[in-house]
Amino acid sequence: MHPGKFEDLDQYELEHPRRPGKPLPGKLFLKDHLDLSGMQVSLGKMPAGKAVPFLHKHKTNEELYIFVRGKGQIQIDGEVIDVEEGTSVRIAPNGERAWRNTGTEDLYCIVIQAKENSLTQDTFDDGIPCDNQPNWPA
Ligand code: ZN
């Protein structure tokens, strides 16, 4: 999938079923596009001075917010954390959250959502070296 540059994420919007008629621009969910089966991932863009206008939490999924550019804040259960490029924040399902842009440029983040406590193995426990070598075209 090639959804375009982060700066062009405005072309996508979140149509929340519980917020009809109030689309949130700059949000693209990837699960259905990529047939993801164990996680939901979204790409987000927040223009300068803008904020997610509501708090939300989850039933069973934890979320990882990875900020890739810009400056802003994320609020979790009333605690406000400054974020910038590289900031990675894990939020338990029940945490009430929202984020905003406090900078002068766009703020971009990647949000990964997966069932809390569902990971049974990772990285070197799950990865298996292959006998073949990469075969790149010349
Ligand atoms: Zn969420």
Side-chain angles (χ1 to χ4, degrees), residues 56 58 63 97 113:
H56 84 281
H58 283 261
E63 282 186 323
R97 71 210 67 174
Q113 185 183 131

Side-chain angles (χ1 to χ4, degrees), residues 46-50 70-73 83 100-107:
M46 189 66 70
K50 298 289 187 182
K71 289 190 182 304
Q73 294 178 321
V83 302
R100 69 174 182 170
N101 187 335
T102 58
T104 55
E105 300 176 7
D106 294 333
L107 176 64

Side-chain angles (χ1 to χ4, degrees), residues 5-78:
K5 296 181 177 179
F6 272 74
E7 63 191 52
D8 297 326
L9 280 172
D10 305 275
Q11 62 186 302
Y12 306 103
E13 57 186 20
L14 167 64
E15 276 281 3
H16 198 292
R18 289 192 290 276
R19 299 181 77 248
K22 294 180 180 175
L24 193 65
K27 187 78 164 172
L28 173 64
F29 285 94
L30 301 181
K31 181 179 80 63
D32 292 343
H33 295 284
L34 296 172
D35 294 327
L36 300 175
S37 65
M39 71 186 89
Q40 173 63 283
V41 180
S42 65
L43 310 179
K45 171 184 177 179
M46 189 66 70
K50 298 289 187 182
V52 174
F54 55 85
L55 289 166
H56 84 281
K57 59 184 180 179
H58 283 261
K59 295 175 184 169
T60 60
N61 293 345
E62 64 183 0
E63 282 186 323
L64 170 62
Y65 284 68
I66 304 170
F67 291 88
V68 294
R69 199 160 91 195
K71 289 190 182 304
Q73 294 178 321
I74 189 164
Q75 178 179 142
I76 307 163
D77 291 334

